[in-house]
Structure formats: C-alpha cells, structure tokens
C-alpha cells in the first residue's frame, strides 16, 4: 500500500513497517504509544481503510484500541494517531513518526516559548540532546523537509533527538500530556512537506496556524524598562529619574513613549502591591509618568505565588497547581526563588487574576508584561482535568486581558506559543539578554528562528535594546550587581562566577550587533539602561535605535548555513537594510552581491557611523573585525 505526492511517498511494507521517503527523512518506522511509561506493542494491526491517497491502520491492546491515519493531499504527507483508552492514564505519549538515524545538513526546531530554538549545523563536534516543539525543518539532499503539528494542538507536541557528529539519532515526533481525564486521545495531524525554500515552508505553516488576523502594520511604541540594569534593586526614585532624563532629551523624548516598571516593585509574587521602595504607591507613579507624557507599564507574574504570600498561606489547596501526589507544589523556580502556581482551571484563581488587572489598570497602567507564564505548566496536574494543557497559559493571559478591560497592551513573556495570538499583542521570542557577547550570540538563534510569527501572529520581542558597554557608559556601578551569587550553596566548590560574573562584558561594536538584530527583526524596542549615565557614544546608540526608520520583519538569509545566522535582509520604505555579522573571534571578509538578492541600490551608508558604503560594483565587500557587524542602509 502506497500513497504519495510529487516529492514524497509513504509505503506500508509486508513486514508491517511504514517507509517514509521525504528528502532526508528516508527510512522505516512504526507508530508508537506509551502509557504511564510502558510502550504498547503495535506490530499487530489491520488495514481498515484504503484509497489512492489514504489508508488507516487499526489495532488493539488491553489498555487501548488505536487507529493510525495516513493520507496524501495538497503536497503533504499527513500522519495522525488516535486511541481509545480502556481507562485513564496518568501520562500519555503518542508517536506518529520516529527515525533511528537521519543525516541532515542542518536541523531547525522551534521551542515551546521564548529562547531555546534549536539550530544545528552538521557536521559538528560533541553530542547534545535537543527538544523542539511545533515544527522542525531539515536541510539535506538538495532540499528541505518540514515536519509540523498544529500550533493550537490539544496535546503538547515535541520533536526530540540527539545530535552528534553528522547525524541525528532517535529522532521522535510525538504528542502527549499528563493527568488529563482522556479516554479519546488524538495526536493531531503531523504533516510532512518538502521544498526548495525553507522560509516559504515556515510562512505557509504560519498562515495555516494563524488564529486571529490582526493589523500589526503600525510600528510598536518604543519604551524603557527597568529590569536589565536595576533588576530587583529598582526604586520609584530611579524610575522617575530615568523618565525625566528621557523626557528632557531632544531625540529620546520624541520616540520613547512608554516607561515599564519590571520585577521588584511588588511586595512579593502573589501580593501585587507596592513595596517600601515605592513609598507613594503605584497609582502615584502612574500619575507622575502620565504627567511627563509617558504610557505607564508594569511587570506582573500573575500565576506565581511565593510561599510567604497570603494567597499561598491561606488558599493553597483549592487554588494552586498540584504535584504528582495531588497536593500544591512549588512548581516555579528562578534564581533560587520558588513559588506555587495558580491553577487557571479553578474559577477562584481566574477571578484573582482578573482582580489584579482591574486594580492595576484602574491605577492608570496601560501596558502589562506578563512573565513566568510557562512555569505554570511545571505543575503535574490541575483540578479540572478536562482542560488541555495547551490552554493553561492561554487562560491566564485571557483573564489578564479581561481584567484590564481589553484596553491594555499585553506582552506575553515566557508565553507558550501554543496558546495562540488572540489575547497577546507582543510576545517575547528571545531569551534573556544582557550586554554580554555570549548572551547576544545565543539569543540571536531564537530571534532568527521565530521570524514566522513576526508582524503576523504578534509583534516579536527580542528582549531589551541595550546600549551600555565598557566604552559607552560612565557608570562606576555598572558591574555592581552579582547576579549569580544566589547559586552559591553552603557546600558549593569555589567558582569565580558566583562573585565575578558581570552583566556587561562588551564594547560598542558588540552592542551594535544586538541593536542591529532588534532593528532588522522589526521587534519591540525597549531600552533598559541607566540612561543618565550613558556617555555620548551610548546615547548615540539609543537615539539612533529609537529614531530608526521602521521596516518589515527581516529575513535571516543564511539561517540554514550555520548555527548562527550572519546575514539579514530587511525591506524599508526607502529601500533595504542589510546586516552582516561576524560571530567569530577573528577578522573575517564578507561579500554581498545586491542583484543575487534582488536588490537595486545607487548608494548605501553604514547605519551606525553614517559613513558611505561603496556599492558601485553591485556588491558590498570588506573585512569585518571580530565580534562586529555592518548594518548598511541601501537606497
């Protein structure tokens, strides 16, 4: 039995295995079901339906009966595994496809949330276990193959394996859940597509999975956020000092219109009232910011309750997410802070979240950064076991939006992409950024890997647009915060990082790389430095960034050529921006042919220093110093 498209085929062999031929995915496999850690035998089955483009296998086991749906249509091979259980299982995993060994040239997979996109170029040294979600794109055999699941699937979807040398081993595409009252389970449809353009494959999947079409054509408002510089040391006085500085600056004042107070203003997670560092309260601060012409914004982790909060002390049993033992558990952990997580399947918890945002929006806040949302999913079970885990984070954001009256801008941070785009305006796609080269390079992978969502599902937030570096700030306290000191346990061995780790190890050239990525990705621009202490070079970076001409979301052209994309192209009203990055520690030549990329230009300039870039020969070429970039504007 065989079904096929022009470029792929799926064959049922005489030995009961299935053989998929789809580019680099070329081999035999069996579907699988794992219930409570035990793999069910699926070698015995019957062919119950068949046609030229469709067939169904079905089998049974003492714990379930199952069907494996295989079809070919619209250029796709589609696999779907469903099962009817004889009784509830605590943990369920459906495996429509697996491959013991594949040899791609490049492998790209999404993460569940911000940061952590998997970008692997082969051959490579060492080995690493990876986990992706939603889709994976593999390069090999002269083309690309994409395997994908619905973004809004009922079950959580995973793409896992081990990357080593020139191969990916134990590659598995699965859908699963735990502690849901399910007797009928459905993996959702895993689709295989092939093509010559991986960006077109991702764009088509993005369009097919767009829940709500929004008008995101207007450039997002730029802002300033307290977190990266101040972290938990933020005060009312320092927020106002930065706001006043921005309001007096002739350039920043025209473009920075939002001031966001991040983590550190509240008494604790779970009690969202001002602490003594904000002595006049949050309504007073919102009023002061509005007087200066800013929209007030606020950071909230609405689903987290620290153990000493009254919410956790007095209401844990009927409002919190549960552990395996059915009791409230400390599912949240970050920087050695721990907390319970609210259970959004419980109406009492949902009303608590709505109340928070009614009150805070009543103070005058019109922008909310919602954080640690995916931490809620670390709870093993929830009170209403009929609610899909893919709807847990969605409910939290929906309640925040409802409480704020639907009038506030919502940024989902640590937001599950599977929650859809209905209740969010911005979504963090990059991991936590600092003015550190390792952070900038690592973060670039997820900024590049999530362009499918940019300006379509939501406005991507690559995290902060930082300007401070050793040569762009005159701040004597720039290295004062000891971010990793919290990890030094009583029995820890000595580690310089506990005291010596700094949030800044860069110079201006590296900050130009970060800010260029923010600009070409068409992402949210949120400054996060101590603005009065930036020197003229640092202020020049900030002014140029916030006043830059907006453009369409750019494309990381060589995303599938290396672990880190080094060439971006962005369309603007005046022409194009081209970003060339040297991620290495040595000087590196570059050459960019305009016509090859469909660009016609008579002139070009270096965005960061306004010097002319020669394009008279139809190309840009030169030498990039180590850890630097060229952001050229062509017209």
């Amino acid at each position: 039995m065989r079904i096929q498209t022009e470029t792929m085929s799926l064959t049922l062999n005489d030995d009961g295995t299935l053989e998929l031929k789809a580019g680099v995915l070329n081999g035999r496999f069996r579907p699988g079901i794992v219930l409570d850690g035990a793999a069910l035998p699926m070698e015995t089955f019957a062919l119950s339906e068949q046609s030229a483009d469709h067939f169904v296998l079905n089998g049974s086991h003492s714990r379930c009966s199952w069907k494996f749906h295989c079809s070919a249509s619209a250029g796709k091979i589609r696999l779907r595994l469903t099962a009817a259980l004889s009784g509830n299982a605590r943990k369920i995993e459906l495996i429509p496809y697996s491959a013991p060994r594949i040899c791609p040239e490049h492998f790209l997979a999404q993460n569940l949330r911000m940061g952590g996109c998997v970008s692997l170029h082969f051959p490579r040294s060492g080995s690493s276990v990876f986990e992706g979600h939603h889709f994976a794109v593999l390069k090999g055999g002269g083309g690309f193959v994409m395997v994908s699941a619905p973004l809004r699937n009922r079950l959580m979807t995973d793409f896992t394996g081990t990357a080593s040398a020139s191969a990916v081993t134990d590659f598995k595409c699965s859908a699963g859940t735990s502690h849901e009252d399910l007797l009928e389970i459905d993996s959702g449809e895993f689709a295989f597509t092939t093509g010559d353009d991986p960006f077109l494959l991702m764009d088509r999947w993005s369009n097919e999975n767009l829940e709500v079409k929004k008008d995101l054509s207007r450039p997002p408002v730029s802002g300033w956020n307290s977190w990266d510089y101040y972290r938990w040391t933020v005060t009312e006085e320092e927020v106002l000092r930065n706001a006043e500085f921005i309001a007096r600056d002739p350039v920043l004042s025209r473009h920075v219109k939002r001031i966001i107070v991040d983590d550190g203003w509240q008494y604790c997670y779970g009690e969202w009232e001002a602490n003594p560092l904000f002595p006049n309260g949050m309504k007073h601060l919102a009023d002061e910011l509005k007087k200066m012409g800013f929209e007030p914004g606020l950071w909230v982790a609405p689903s987290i309750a620290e153990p000493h909060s009254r919410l956790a002390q007095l209401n844990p049993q009927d409002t919190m997410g549960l552990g395996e033992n059915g009791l409230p558990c400390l599912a949240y952990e970050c920087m050695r802070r721990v907390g319970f997580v609210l259970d959004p399947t419980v109406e009492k918890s949902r009303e608590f979240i709505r109340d928070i945002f009614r009150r805070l929006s009543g103070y005058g806040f019109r922008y909310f950064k919602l954080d640690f949302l995916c931490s809620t999913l670390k709870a093993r079970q929830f009170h209403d076991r009929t609610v899909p885990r893919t709807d847990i984070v969605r409910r939290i954001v929906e309640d925040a939006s409802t409480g704020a009256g639907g009038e506030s801008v919502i940024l989902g941070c640590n937001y599950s992409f599977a929650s859809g785009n209905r209740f969010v305006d911005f979504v963090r796609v990059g991991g936590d950024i600092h003015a550190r080269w390792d952070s900038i390079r690592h973060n670039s992978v997820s900024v590049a890997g999530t362009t499918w969502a940019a300006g379509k599902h939501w406005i991507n937030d690559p995290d902060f647009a930082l300007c401070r570096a050793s040569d762009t700030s005159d701040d004597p306290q720039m290295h004062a915060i000891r971010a990793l000191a919290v990890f030094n346990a009583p029995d820890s061995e000595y580690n310089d990082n506990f005291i010596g780790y700094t949030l800044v190890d860069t110079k201006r050239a590296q900050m130009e790389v970060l800010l260029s990525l923010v600009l070409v990705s068409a992402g949210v621009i949120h400054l996060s430095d101590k603005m009065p202490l930036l020197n003229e070079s640092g202020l020049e970076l900030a002014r140029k960034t916030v006043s830059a001409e907006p453009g369409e979301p750019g494309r990381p052209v060589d995303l599938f050529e290396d672990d880190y994309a080094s060439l971006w192209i962005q369309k603007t009203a005046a022409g194009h921006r081209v970003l060339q990055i040297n991620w290495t520690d040595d000087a590196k030549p570059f050459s960019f042919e305009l016509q090859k990329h469909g660009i016609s230009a008579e002139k070009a300039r270096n965005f960061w220093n306004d010097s002319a870039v020669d394009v008279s020969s139809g190309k840009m070429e030169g030498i990039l110093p180590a850890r630097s970039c060229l952001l050229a504007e062509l017209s």
Side-chain angles (χ1 to χ4, degrees):
M1 179 66 202
R2 174 182 293 179
I3 55 174
Q4 60 188 45
T5 70
E6 290 183 358
T7 58
M8 297 177 289
S9 67
L10 180 69
T11 304
L12 176 61
N13 297 307
D14 292 339
D15 63 359
T17 61
L18 293 137
E19 185 169 3
L20 177 69
K21 292 184 178 180
V24 70
L25 294 179
N26 187 352
R28 298 191 176 198
F29 71 98
R30 294 183 189 273
I33 298 177
V34 180
L35 300 180
D36 295 330
L40 306 186
M42 298 181 68
E43 291 83 1
T44 303
F45 58 84
L47 181 63
S48 60
E49 298 178 30
Q50 59 178 308
S51 66
D53 58 5
H54 175 79
F55 65 86
V56 175
L57 311 178
N58 65 295
S60 62
H61 180 269
S62 61
R63 296 198 64 184
C64 75
S65 59
W66 56 270
K67 287 188 176 182
F68 189 51
H69 309 252
C70 308
S71 63
S73 63
K76 296 182 179 182
I77 297 286
R78 307 168 193 267
L79 308 180
R80 187 171 201 152
L81 182 57
T82 61
L85 304 184
S86 58
N88 281 320
R90 293 168 67 88
K91 186 173 179 60
I92 303 166
E93 184 181 25
L94 304 181
I95 308 169
Y97 176 79
S98 61
R101 181 182 175 87
I102 54 177
C103 296
E105 297 171 31
H106 194 98
F107 181 96
L108 176 76
Q110 287 299 296
N111 198 7
L112 175 69
R113 57 184 181 88
M114 69 182 207
C117 275
V118 180
S119 178
L120 305 169
H121 201 69
F122 296 88
R124 56 193 306 106
S125 59
S127 65
S128 58
V129 177
F130 64 82
E131 179 178 2
H133 302 267
H134 311 313
F135 69 75
V137 179
L138 297 90
K139 177 183 179 182
F144 297 85
V145 58
M146 180 179 188
V147 53
S148 62
L151 185 63
R152 291 281 298 132
N153 213 31
R154 178 185 174 98
L155 303 187
M156 306 292 281
T157 56
D158 297 281
F159 299 87
T160 59
T162 300
S164 59
S166 60
V168 171
T169 56
D170 301 321
F171 179 53
K172 183 173 64 175
C173 307
S174 63
T177 191
S178 62
H179 294 288
E180 286 186 29
D181 286 339
L182 295 174
L183 293 179
E184 301 288 334
I185 53 177
D186 186 342
S187 69
E189 194 169 75
F190 282 71
F192 296 78
T193 55
T194 59
D196 298 326
D197 184 345
F199 297 102
L200 181 59
L201 296 177
M202 290 189 288
D203 286 343
R204 286 174 176 168
W205 177 85
S206 177
N207 292 336
E208 291 168 359
N209 286 274
L210 183 62
E211 179 186 15
V212 178
K213 188 173 183 179
K214 297 182 176 181
D215 182 5
L216 300 173
S217 59
R218 295 181 61 185
V221 171
S222 295
W224 177 89
N225 181 295
S226 64
W227 174 251
D228 191 75
Y229 182 89
Y230 292 97
R231 297 169 76 87
W232 294 310
T233 70
V234 65
T235 66
E236 176 185 305
E237 180 182 10
E238 286 297 302
V239 171
L240 292 173
R241 181 175 297 169
N242 281 274
E244 289 164 355
F245 180 88
I246 293 169
R248 290 195 304 266
D249 187 273
V251 177
L252 298 178
S253 61
R254 295 202 306 270
H255 301 281
V256 179
K257 296 298 183 181
R258 180 178 290 139
I259 301 293
I260 305 148
V261 186
D262 212 289
D263 194 359
W265 65 269
Q266 72 285 350
Y267 169 67
C268 71
Y269 302 170
E271 294 198 32
W272 301 102
E273 295 286 357
N275 64 38
L277 297 176
F278 291 78
N280 296 298
M282 302 314 288
K283 184 180 186 307
H284 170 82
L285 180 57
D287 290 342
E288 291 300 303
L289 293 174
K290 286 189 287 187
K291 288 178 186 177
M292 284 186 264
F294 295 110
E295 178 185 79
L298 204 57
W299 175 96
V300 184
S303 62
I304 312 301
E306 291 187 270
H308 63 286
S309 67
R310 284 171 291 181
L311 180 65
Q313 289 289 313
L314 299 174
N315 300 283
Q317 186 62 41
D318 59 349
T319 59
M320 303 297 172
L322 310 172
E324 286 287 351
N325 59 7
L327 299 175
C329 63
L330 294 174
Y332 164 80
E333 192 279 327
C334 182
M335 300 297 290
R336 293 292 175 93
R337 294 178 79 161
V338 297
F340 298 97
V341 295
L342 281 175
D343 182 346
T345 73
V346 176
E347 178 58 27
K348 187 176 181 180
S349 299
R350 301 191 71 176
E351 184 60 21
F352 175 81
I353 294 173
R354 291 191 287 264
D355 282 343
I356 293 171
F357 291 92
R358 286 191 195 103
R359 177 167 47 82
L360 296 178
S361 62
Y363 292 167
F365 290 96
R366 290 293 178 267
Y367 171 98
F368 293 104
K369 176 182 177 181
L370 310 186
D371 205 353
F372 298 130
L373 296 168
C374 273
S375 291
T376 316
L377 297 175
K378 293 181 180 179
R380 298 295 178 84
Q381 53 185 318
F382 299 94
H383 287 81
D384 185 346
R385 293 156 66 100
T386 67
V387 176
R389 290 185 75 85
T390 51
D391 277 352
I392 295 297
V393 170
R394 180 183 175 92
R395 286 184 169 214
I396 298 168
V397 179
E398 178 184 6
D399 290 334
S401 178
T402 300
E407 299 176 352
S408 297
V409 174
I410 301 291
L411 164 64
C413 189
N414 278 280
Y415 178 75
S416 167
F417 299 159
S419 300
N421 76 325
R422 184 178 298 274
F423 301 108
V424 289
D425 304 289
F426 306 157
V427 169
R428 269 279 298 279
V429 294
D432 288 347
I433 196 69
H434 304 301
R436 294 178 53 90
W437 183 241
D438 57 354
S439 176
I440 295 169
R441 186 172 62 171
H442 177 76
N443 210 38
S444 72
V445 175
S446 292
V447 175
T450 52
T451 53
W452 58 267
K456 186 182 299 181
H457 289 250
W458 46 67
I459 300 294
N460 280 4
D461 176 11
D463 208 14
F464 303 125
L466 304 177
C467 303
R468 71 186 185 280
S470 61
D471 55 352
T472 63
S473 174
D474 297 328
D475 183 5
Q477 296 296 309
M478 187 164 55
H479 303 285
I481 287 180
R482 304 302 177 193
L484 299 189
V486 297
F487 295 109
N488 187 32
D491 57 352
S492 295
E493 295 184 3
Y494 183 83
N495 187 329
D496 283 336
N497 277 339
F498 292 148
I499 297 179
Y501 181 89
T502 176
L503 296 175
V504 183
D505 72 357
T506 52
K507 292 187 176 181
R508 172 171 170 142
Q510 289 80 62
M511 304 320 296
E512 289 179 0
V513 175
L514 170 62
L515 296 170
S516 297
L517 285 169
V518 172
L519 290 175
V520 298
S521 68
V524 181
I525 299 174
H526 284 153
L527 304 174
S528 191
D529 294 302
K530 189 169 185 175
M531 303 304 295
L533 293 185
L534 291 177
N535 61 27
E536 279 305 308
S537 180
L539 286 172
E540 180 187 41
L541 289 178
R543 290 166 181 154
K544 279 181 173 290
T545 300
V546 299
S547 63
E549 177 187 8
E552 298 177 9
R555 176 155 289 181
V557 177
D558 61 346
L559 176 60
F560 295 89
E561 302 299 326
D562 204 341
D563 285 3
Y564 304 98
S566 58
L567 174 61
W568 287 70
I569 299 177
Q570 178 188 34
K571 291 182 180 180
T572 65
H576 292 84
R577 285 197 186 102
V578 175
L579 172 61
Q580 291 268 183
I581 304 173
N582 179 5
W583 293 112
T584 73
D585 294 334
D586 300 300
K588 185 177 180 180
F590 74 91
S591 180
F592 178 85
E593 296 184 29
L594 277 64
Q595 188 174 5
K596 177 182 177 181
H597 297 282
I599 297 176
S600 175
E602 297 179 356
K603 59 182 180 179
R605 72 178 184 99
N606 184 320
F607 177 85
W608 294 113
N609 63 23
D610 292 319
S611 63
V613 177
D614 184 16
V615 292
S616 59
S617 64
K619 65 173 64 174
M620 295 188 301
E621 54 188 352
I623 303 292
L624 279 178
R627 301 185 177 189
S628 71
C629 72
L630 169 66
L631 179 61
E633 292 195 320
L634 290 78
S635 59

